[in-house]
Structure formats: C-alpha cells, structure tokens
Amino acid sequence: MDNKTRHHPFHPIIYVRGFAATQSEIEDTVADPYMGFNVGSTKARVAWTGDVKRFYFESPLVRLMADHGYQDVFVEGNDLLQAEQTQEPVPYRCVVIHRYYDEASKDFGSGDGTPPIEHFARGLSDLILRLRDRVCATPQNGVAPSDFRVYLVAHSMGGLICRAFLQNAELGAPEARRAVDKVYTYATPHNGIDMRIVRNVPGWLAFGDVNNFNRERMAQYFGLSRSDDVSIVQNFPPERIFNLVGTNARDYKVGGGISAWAAGDASDGLVRIENATTHGAGPDGSDISSPRAFVHRSHSGYYGIVNSEEGYQNLTRFLFGSFRVDGILDVDDISLPAELQNAFKEGKRIRASYQFEIAVSIRGCQWQMTRREVREHSAMFRTYDQLLPAAADGRRKPDRTQSPHLFSVFLDASKSVKASKSVSFAFDLKVLVPDYEVDGIAFLKRHYEGGFILRQLVLVEAIPDKNAEGGWRIKYGYQETNPGRPGIAAETRALAARGEGGQPGLAFDIPLAQKVSPGLSGALRIEARPWS
C-alpha cells in the first residue's frame, strides 16, 4: 500500500467506539465528546492472584497528543468536520471520533431506534471522505486527495463496523476504502459472541441490537457467502489489521458479572479469545493470521483493554513502528518419559497434549507486549498428533502448519534507549509438563502441576548496520547465561518480500536440543521484516 507522504507514519486517526445496548447507554455515550477514547486508568493488575498496584495511564487520546503531537478537531464548541462554514484548518495529525450513535440519541437524533450496522459503515465512509476533503483543503498540510491516508482504531463492535465498511463493496465509496492504511481493533468479536447455554447469540434476539453479533447476521453485513467463520477478512490485507485480545474475564462487571460467567474464563468477560482475531488470504493466496497480542485486560471497566498501557503500546508500535518480528516454534521431535516409551513399544495407545506459554517485553519498559498463560486461559495448545502426525507407514514428521506462532511484535527504533538506535526485546517461552494418557487412563506418576519441560528466556537485539544483510545486525542470547546482554551473532538468511510494495526481511533460527526425557528438539524461528 503506497503511504509514503511526508507525514508518514503519522496519519489521521478515526476512533470507532463499541456497543451501547440501552437508550441510557446511548445517551451517556453521546454526552462524551471522545466517546471513551479519553478514559484512563489508575489501576493495573500485576499478578494472577488479584494484587493491584497504582499505575497512571492517562488515556490513548491524551498519550497520542502528548507523545506524538495529535490534536482533536473541536474548536470553540464546534466539530470542524460537522461545521458547514469555518475557516479553521484541520491538522493532518488529528484524532476524529465516528459519532455514529448521535442519530439514535433523543437529544441529537430521533431516538426512535438504532440504525443497523450497514448504516454506521456507510457513515464511516462519508466521514473518511469529509476528513480527506478538509485535510487536503488546508494548505499547510500539503496533501493531495490521492495521497491522503487514515488509520481506523476501534473497540468491540466498532471493529465490526470498520470491517463491514472495508469488506462489503455496497457499504461506502471505493476511494474511502483506498484511503485506509491500517486497522487496529481492541476486543472485537470478529467471529461473533458465544455464551454458555445459547452458544452463538441467536439471530432472533433483537434487544439492543444484540443480534449484530450473530454469525448469520454478521455474514450479511460483511458480504460473506458463509456464516460458519466470519472472522475472514476480504478486500483488505489481513496483515494490516491488528487484533488486541483481552484475557481477563474476572474483572468485567457488566450485568453484575453475569456476562463474564456466560462468556467463560477464556474471554475478556464478553468476547471469547477464540473469537477475537481475524485471518484471510495473503499475497500468495495462502491463509494468514492477522497480527495479534494478548493482554490480561477485561472488555471494559477499571481494568479495561482500551484504557491500558499495553493497549496503547501495541497501538502506537503497530501504527508508527518500523520493524515487525514474528516468533514461531518449530518442533522436530518430542521424547516421552521412559515408562511411556516402553508402553508405546508394547502397543499401548499413548496420547499427549502440550501447552505453550509466552510473554514478550521491550527493553527498558515495565509492561509486556503480549502474554499467554495457562492461568489466564490463553496458552496455546497442541496435541502430539498435531505436531508430529503419523504417516501411513507409522513414521512421524513435523507438520509445520501446526507450529505454534508465539508472537508478532512491532518495534519502533525512534523509542530506542541506545545511542546506536538498536531495538531489543525478550521473550519468555515455557512448554508445560504435558498431560499423558495410556489407553485412555491419565498417567500422573511423574506429573507436577505447573512444571515445564522447557523454559527459555531469550533476548534479541537488532542493531542498524548498513554493511549487514538487510541493514540490520542481529544478536541473541539467554538471560540465564548473560543477563541483559544478547551476545550471540545470529546467522541470518534473507526473507522474500511479502506482497506488493513489501520489502525483503531476515530470518534466523535459535536451536533447541534437550537431551533429557521428556524433552523437545527443534528451533525457535525468528522472522523480521521492515514495517511501514
């Protein structure tokens, strides 16, 4: 996507808020100029035990203004995009709110009912074009309409509105869709909302337009032919959509906790983890997942996902960062305990399942970019048969399509704490003690709950070097052997450019070879690409 204006990467941001079920909630929503994007927090969960510490997060809006020079579009009580006659300039680096609930308000609209999502999607298209026209009419911006780009940032149902606009050709103007550079979603139910007992929200449940989260209804406004999986992205690059996924159901207090109970532990209190991500066809036609991060925040509230430092850091690095790094665990073999290996030779049926935990942090920062843990119901899960399926002759070879994708991290060299402008992060990988079965009976003789068969805290640093392949020299190391100082030179190989306009990247492997049983052998595959 061509986005190389003199302002790049700081394009206008449109915030699209989430769902309001009742008329009272709608009125509260429209009474706030920023519709929640200005809400901060002073509380942060620091442990799964529920311990709380004071941490001041001012809000995404305030931080964008303070850190990156963004401005709102409200002047002397007027919204510059709504005012018909005003000479006030609209800055390019601005934050705009899609106030789609105004029409449903008794004060600002008819109050006769909430329009459908299709209407909100068309309204988003109109807002983008109106913003483009005002921005390009401001001479000091120096932007032609063909060069105008915009970011969409959305919470919950707001992400569905963005996708409806982008995916359904009937909902808006092509030139508005072409202007969208990236999309960032907080806690969006991309594959609908599921609850205990009723499963997917039924289509007949019209109260508060809750049926917007029914998959058949979603397929309609997304323009999809199938409703079994509506997390598929079409007509927009899935790699340019970021999914921030909440894993804290416990602190979502809506409905006195009934919503959190109904959504289940593996959720943010409303949206299940399995429903909060997107995927679609990549440049070569193969299915790829959108980049995502997992944070221990709830859908909203004191510990909400929008009003979180983790959310803001992922947001700004995805929008403004210059480097994308992905980590994949390629498993070549997993050995069994001696007792189970003997039982297998005797012809008994052995089953094993594995859970993978990961946490990624940035050098010099006190928060984590992403975290997936068993205790937070977000760890990755694979069976032995998935990782190493048996062929017809009984031999087992690794299935790389099942390799756990550990993380996608976006790095920003402008935030480097080193004079060299190097970027560095660490990831803590655990492969937990597996659950074994022998002929359908649990094998617990060597089981210690919470133990692991592999744990590695790996440090990675990329240093700008015009003489190195790809312009970066990469080092890695292990915290246990050289704390805080990655010192092993990575043997990198070139990665082909991905998609039209993409740039080639680098990859390297960190070998894993345990000589104990049970143990794992394979490699941590790290892929790094320029990001724009």
Side-chain angles (χ1 to χ4, degrees):
M1 182 172 289
D2 184 10
N3 48 24
K4 299 300 188 291
T5 71
R6 68 183 179 88
H7 298 278
H8 187 74
F10 299 103
H11 301 295
I13 293 171
I14 294 179
Y15 178 67
V16 189
R17 65 149 289 140
F19 180 61
T22 66
Q23 191 64 41
S24 174
E25 290 176 354
I26 290 174
E27 299 304 336
D28 287 343
T29 294
V30 302
D32 180 351
Y34 304 106
M35 292 194 163
F37 205 46
N38 56 323
V39 175
S41 175
T42 60
K43 298 181 180 181
R45 289 274 186 220
V46 294
W48 65 276
T49 58
D51 294 337
V52 179
K53 68 178 289 188
R54 185 180 288 113
F55 182 92
Y56 295 99
F57 174 67
E58 303 92 321
S59 79
L61 179 68
V62 172
R63 289 289 292 278
L64 283 167
M65 291 177 168
D67 297 347
H68 299 288
Y70 275 80
Q71 303 176 52
D72 63 24
V73 292
F74 302 131
V75 175
E76 296 182 349
N78 292 313
D79 182 340
L80 295 182
L81 297 188
Q82 300 295 335
E84 294 185 2
Q85 294 186 4
T86 178
Q87 300 302 312
E88 290 287 343
V90 174
Y92 191 79
R93 203 176 293 196
C94 62
V95 177
V96 176
I97 310 301
H98 182 22
R99 297 183 56 85
Y100 63 87
Y101 268 126
D102 281 357
E103 294 180 64
S105 165
K106 291 181 179 179
D107 294 329
F108 299 144
S110 65
D112 293 334
T114 305
I117 275 189
E118 290 89 339
H119 183 77
F120 298 151
R122 293 187 181 97
L124 177 58
S125 174
D126 294 341
L127 178 60
I128 291 171
L129 296 180
R130 193 159 60 247
L131 175 61
R132 180 200 64 183
D133 292 345
R134 290 302 307 275
V135 161
C136 295
T138 302
Q140 53 264 47
N141 289 332
V143 177
S146 59
D147 294 329
F148 172 82
R149 294 293 181 268
V150 66
Y151 297 135
L152 302 182
V153 178
H155 175 230
S156 192
M157 190 182 80
L160 304 183
I161 293 171
C162 294
R163 284 185 56 203
F165 154 65
L166 290 169
Q167 294 187 216
N168 191 333
E170 297 181 1
L171 305 180
E175 58 266 35
R177 278 188 282 274
R178 284 195 295 270
V180 177
D181 188 62
K182 298 171 188 169
V183 180
Y184 184 95
T185 65
Y186 296 94
T188 290
H190 288 292
N191 199 38
I193 288 180
D194 289 291
M195 296 289 181
R196 298 181 198 258
I197 303 174
V198 299
R199 294 294 297 166
N200 186 219
V201 171
W204 48 262
L205 187 60
F207 169 74
D209 296 308
V210 172
N211 59 354
N212 281 332
F213 309 111
N214 171 265
R215 279 186 277 275
E216 290 186 2
R217 173 77 181 100
M218 294 171 71
Q220 292 175 0
Y221 57 72
F222 286 155
L224 297 173
S225 59
R226 297 171 54 186
S227 61
D228 55 331
D229 178 9
V230 292
S231 63
I232 297 174
V233 174
Q234 296 179 348
N235 303 324
F236 192 81
E239 67 272 17
R240 298 191 77 79
I241 298 179
F242 190 96
N243 310 138
L244 191 67
V245 182
T247 65
N248 180 2
R250 161 182 174 180
D251 286 314
Y252 188 60
K253 302 303 183 184
V254 170
I258 293 176
S259 170
W261 171 84
D265 291 330
S267 75
D268 62 8
L270 180 63
V271 180
R272 291 187 177 179
I273 293 171
E274 63 184 3
N275 288 337
T277 57
T278 52
H279 67 102
D284 61 357
S286 62
D287 188 75
I288 62 171
S289 297
S290 298
R292 71 276 309 263
F294 298 78
V295 296
H296 195 55
R297 307 292 294 196
S298 60
H299 194 76
S300 62
Y302 296 142
Y303 308 101
I305 196 167
V306 177
N307 50 313
S308 70
E309 185 72 33
E310 302 96 318
Y312 175 74
Q313 294 296 338
N314 276 290
L315 169 69
T316 54
R317 282 168 166 78
F318 175 69
L319 297 185
F320 313 139
S322 55
F323 215 46
R324 171 177 172 169
V325 183
D326 292 88
I328 303 98
L329 176 58
D330 288 330
V331 177
D332 292 332
D333 193 19
I334 305 179
S335 60
L336 298 171
E339 299 95 323
L340 293 181
Q341 188 63 42
N342 291 334
F344 177 73
K345 291 179 179 178
E346 293 170 3
K348 295 182 178 180
R349 186 181 61 188
I350 308 298
R351 288 185 176 176
S353 59
Y354 302 85
Q355 297 192 82
F356 303 85
E357 294 187 341
I358 190 72
V360 181
S361 56
I362 303 293
R363 180 177 58 195
C365 300
Q366 294 182 305
W367 30 259
Q368 293 170 326
M369 296 295 288
T370 186
R371 185 173 77 200
R372 305 187 69 173
E373 293 187 348
V374 169
R375 290 178 299 192
E376 295 170 0
H377 308 281
S378 57
M380 291 157 280
F381 176 88
R382 296 289 190 279
T383 66
Y384 182 78
D385 287 337
Q386 286 176 316
L387 293 169
L388 298 161
D393 60 2
R395 296 182 181 179
R396 292 182 179 270
K397 292 184 178 180
D399 181 357
R400 291 292 183 244
T401 66
Q402 292 294 325
S403 292
H405 189 287
L406 303 175
F407 57 82
S408 295
V409 174
F410 295 84
L411 304 175
D412 187 347
S414 70
K415 296 182 179 181
S416 174
V417 297
K418 292 289 191 74
S420 66
K421 292 301 180 182
S422 67
V423 290
S424 182
F425 67 97
F427 61 93
D428 188 3
L429 170 67
K430 301 177 193 175
V431 182
L432 273 64
V433 170
D435 295 323
Y436 296 113
E437 285 186 1
V438 180
D439 285 342
I441 300 174
F443 177 83
L444 300 174
K445 290 181 180 179
R446 296 174 60 179
H447 183 87
Y448 296 90
E449 187 63 30
F452 44 84
I453 61 174
L454 171 72
R455 182 172 187 179
Q456 292 280 12
L457 179 54
V458 180
L459 315 174
V460 179
E461 182 174 20
I463 305 106
D465 185 344
K466 62 181 181 181
N467 297 318
E469 186 174 20
W472 293 88
R473 180 165 43 88
I474 299 179
K475 299 188 295 183
Y476 71 92
Y478 304 96
Q479 181 72 3
E480 62 182 11
T481 58
N482 197 7
R485 298 178 64 88
I488 303 172
E491 295 183 6
T492 60
R493 59 185 182 275
L495 280 177
R498 179 185 290 173
E500 183 180 353
Q503 301 179 56
L506 297 172
F508 66 95
D509 295 329
I510 301 174
L512 298 172
Q514 291 181 293
K515 297 180 180 180
V516 297
S517 294
L520 181 149
S521 64
L524 291 161
R525 173 164 41 104
I526 308 299
E527 299 182 351
R529 291 179 171 85
W531 178 249
S532 176

